[in-house]
Structures are given as C-alpha cells and as structure tokens.
Amino acid sequence: MSCDFIQLANSGVQELHPYQPGKPISELERELGITNIVKLASNENPIGISSMAQAAMEKEFSELARYPDANGYYLKAKIAERVGVDINQITLGNGSNDVLELIARVFVAPEHEVIFSQHAFVVYPIVTQAIGAKKVVIPAKDWGHDLEATAAAITPNTRMIFIANPNNPTGTWVKSAELKAFMDKVPEDVLVILDEAYYEYVEDKDYPQTIPWIKEYPNLIVTRTFSKAYGLAGVRAGYAVANEEITGLINRPRQPFNMNSLALAAAEAVLDDHAYLQKALDVNKAGMEQLEAVFKELNYDYIPSVTNFITVDMGKPAGPIYQHMLEQGVIVRPVANYEMPNHLRVSIGLEEENAKFIRVLREMNK
C-alpha cells in the first residue's frame, strides 16, 4: 500500500484515539470463558426496559421497512410539553452524544477555543480536536467544575463551553446559585452547553432547573438523554433544548433520520411510564447507599455522587484491580484516561449485582 491514508485525514483526527466504551459482557465471556458476569461499567439502567417502551417498539415492527419521521414530531411535542418549551426549541439526536457533536460542528471552527473541565466527559475533547479547535482544559476543583476559573479563561476566541452537570465520571454537580453567577459572566456570543445526562437522578434542592433559564440566557443550550434513567441506552435517544434561532441552525446539518423509528416510539412512550422511572430512581438510591456503606467500612475514599454511578479511589493504580475484577466476572470502569489512574467508576446495579462486586472487593481486602 503506497498511499498513507492517515495523512489524508484532518490533522485533529490523526491524533485522536477511538472512544473506549465499557467492556461488553459478551466480549468478556469470549475472552475468559466465564458466565454469570455482572456489568457495572457503563452507567446503564439495571432494571431493564420499560414495558411501555417495549410495547411501543413492538408496535413499530410492521412498519420498519419505511423511513422514520425525520422531524420526530410526536416525540418533540411530548418533550416540549414535559419541559415547558415550544416544539421549535427541540433538536433530537441519536443519544445526547450525537447532539453534543452536532452543536459543536455547527458553531465551532478551527480558529475557536472550547472550554471544559479536567475530568469531564471524554466526548468534549474528542469533538473539539476532531474539528481542529483549541482545547482549553480548566483544572478541576474538588473533582468538579471550577466555574470561576472557567469564566476567567474566556477570551475573544472562545466560542463554546461544555459543562456536565452532574459530571461524568466524577458524579459531582454544580449548584444553582453558582451556575447562575457563572452565566451572568459569560458573553452572549459564547455558547454554554449544559450536559444534563443524569438530570433525573438528582434530588438536591439546590440543583439548577436550567431549561427556563434559556429565556434569560439565549446562549444556553441544555442536552438530556433517554439512555440513563429512562433505560434506552441500546436504541439511542437524546435531545437538546435551546432558543428557536439556535435550534434552527442545529437542525440545518442534522441528518434527517438520525433517530430511528424504534427509538422515537420508545422515547415517547417511556416519558409516560412514571412508575418505571420511580422504580429506577428507588433502585439507584438503594444501590448507592449499599456501595457507600461498604466503601466507608473498608476505608475507601469515594467522590460523593448524585448520579447512577460512584467513583472510588482504590489507593493505588486501579488497572490491576480492574483486571482482577474482570477475572471474577465483574466489569467496572477504569478512568485513567480521565487523569484518574487510581480510581474506578462503578455503575449502580441491582442489589444482587452490587453484592457480587462487594464480595470481590471484600476478598481483595482480606
């Protein structure tokens, strides 16, 4: 082969490494030949799919030879009603990751700067580098966002700021007064993307309810997903809420069928399955208490979390511990790629799944 195809790629893409997802159960079964594996690596909803969402998808089966509704009218209408905005303020995506990347590609060019926090979601640096823009990484404060330092880092070249609230992989969150004070400092030509993938799990009364803020801050975009609390990670469904002008721009290059028929139907249905969501939240709360208790008992430092995962300091490089847990049939998530080499991120599972992780952890501490 004489052509060096790497040199044909954009310079930012040449230096990228593919996103590394949590290891699938099937892959571990193939590698080690073991069964009864527990996956606590990808922040998935452990209670399974909503029965209402499943029924809605089954109803779509006979129509799968036809294209989906490119505009996603009924899902947009349901979301708009639920969050209190006009339907023309909604952009749908193949998961919120799709929308995050789409927003960046619409507004960011190589001459721009994009600001995000250390230990923040890996998609932010990936999309920034792929575009060829300058990454501005703000050192974390108590494992979370330092919004004062973020505001101070804004320059005339800053085009976009990503804030994950709550943050992945640390589980930290920014409170309402702090975020409001930050928004007051941001110039109107700098877009602030609030990634609220874990919104439904947060019970803190000081957690900001940001969608109504869009009227006051037209440079604010809020993204959410159906992959976590709503249990639709496998079909991919997410959305953004912004003012109508921004939404119209985002929708210009959006692929017309970026959500398939099953995802549209499932997402619309699960929004009405209030019992399912409450069960998911109850299971998560109990599981969080279960893991926090054992970390305290065994003297592991952990980062307090308002999400469906908890990140724990193993006190030494976590890679070998992760590998040992794999061999015991427990998949968790190492986060060395987030500059946290001693930490593991553990998704909250069912009681018995958490118990298996705890058994392995106890055996390691004997």
Side-chain angles (χ1 to χ4, degrees):
M1 183 182 295
S2 58
C3 181
D4 184 355
F5 290 103
I6 293 177
Q7 297 304 315
L8 298 183
N10 295 332
S11 58
V13 174
Q14 290 178 22
E15 300 171 4
L16 275 177
H17 298 284
Y19 173 77
Q20 295 297 317
K23 183 180 286 289
I25 290 175
S26 58
E27 182 178 328
L28 188 59
E29 288 175 339
R30 291 195 305 270
E31 289 178 352
L32 300 182
I34 58 177
T35 56
N36 299 318
I37 294 168
V38 168
K39 185 185 178 189
L40 303 175
S42 299
N43 306 340
E44 297 151 335
N45 190 327
I47 69 171
I49 192 171
S50 152
S51 60
M52 291 175 63
Q54 182 170 339
M57 287 191 286
E58 290 172 353
K59 189 176 178 181
E60 288 293 315
F61 286 169
S62 62
E63 296 297 319
L64 289 183
R66 301 191 182 278
Y67 286 108
D69 174 7
N71 291 315
Y73 174 81
Y74 292 106
L75 176 57
K76 281 184 179 179
K78 180 65 66 69
I79 294 170
E81 178 185 12
R82 184 63 53 88
V83 303
V85 299
D86 188 87
I87 193 171
N88 293 323
Q89 294 181 252
I90 306 291
T91 303
L92 299 179
N94 183 39
S96 58
N97 283 9
D98 180 38
V99 181
L100 290 169
E101 180 175 4
L102 182 58
I103 294 167
R105 291 191 179 280
V106 169
F107 292 103
V108 178
E111 64 268 22
H112 294 137
E113 297 173 351
V114 177
I115 301 176
F116 48 86
S117 176
Q118 180 189 23
H119 314 312
F121 188 33
V122 71
V123 164
Y124 311 154
I126 287 177
V127 68
T128 302
Q129 185 169 327
I131 292 169
K134 180 182 178 181
K135 297 178 287 186
V136 179
V137 183
I138 306 302
K141 181 180 180 181
D142 298 326
W143 299 109
H145 297 282
D146 184 341
L147 293 188
E148 288 188 7
T150 300
I154 296 173
T155 75
N157 292 327
T158 304
R159 175 55 55 86
M160 185 171 290
I161 301 171
F162 283 112
I163 299 174
N165 197 34
N167 185 53
N168 174 25
T170 62
T172 54
W173 71 102
V174 177
K175 295 187 177 182
S176 185
E178 182 184 3
L179 186 59
K180 193 78 161 53
F182 169 76
M183 290 300 304
D184 286 337
K185 298 175 185 176
V186 178
E188 63 181 5
D189 61 347
V190 176
L191 298 177
V192 177
I193 317 302
L194 281 179
D195 179 355
E196 297 184 346
Y198 300 91
Y199 166 83
E200 290 80 10
Y201 291 104
V202 187
E203 296 180 341
D204 189 324
K205 60 181 176 58
D206 290 327
Y207 180 75
Q209 300 301 314
T210 53
I211 288 178
W213 294 10
I214 292 172
K215 292 180 181 179
E216 181 177 357
Y217 303 107
N219 57 330
L220 177 63
I221 304 173
V222 179
T223 66
R224 294 181 183 169
T225 185
F226 290 89
S227 296
K228 309 302 181 185
Y230 287 112
L232 296 179
V235 296
R236 313 303 299 129
Y239 62 96
V241 184
N243 72 59
E244 290 191 22
E245 185 176 6
I246 285 178
T247 301
L249 289 167
I250 297 170
N251 276 297
R252 290 183 185 185
R254 180 184 65 84
Q255 295 297 310
F257 305 110
N258 67 332
M259 280 190 69
N260 65 65
S261 298
L262 299 182
L264 289 169
E268 182 186 348
V270 78
L271 282 173
D272 289 327
D273 197 343
H274 306 296
Y276 171 86
L277 178 60
Q278 189 58 56
K279 180 181 179 181
L281 300 183
D282 290 344
V283 167
N284 188 73
K285 184 176 182 179
M288 182 69 75
E289 293 172 354
Q290 188 181 5
L291 294 187
E292 286 180 338
V294 75
F295 293 152
K296 291 175 182 176
E297 175 194 339
L298 299 177
N299 293 315
Y300 284 109
D301 288 333
Y302 64 89
I303 304 172
S305 171
V306 291
T307 64
N308 67 338
F309 62 83
I310 186 166
T311 301
V312 57
D313 186 347
M314 306 308 296
K316 56 185 176 182
I321 299 172
Y322 161 73
Q323 186 60 40
H324 174 77
M325 288 192 168
L326 287 181
E327 294 166 0
Q328 303 304 310
V330 177
I331 309 174
V332 292
R333 188 67 175 267
V335 285
N337 60 319
Y338 286 96
E339 299 181 0
M340 302 172 70
N342 289 358
H343 286 77
L344 292 175
R345 192 190 69 190
V346 185
S347 302
I348 307 300
L350 300 174
E351 182 180 5
E352 59 271 22
E353 294 174 326
N354 300 330
K356 182 168 183 177
F357 164 77
I358 290 170
R359 285 197 300 272
V360 173
L361 191 64
R362 288 189 189 280
E363 289 168 359
M364 292 171 49
N365 282 268
K366 288 181 179 179

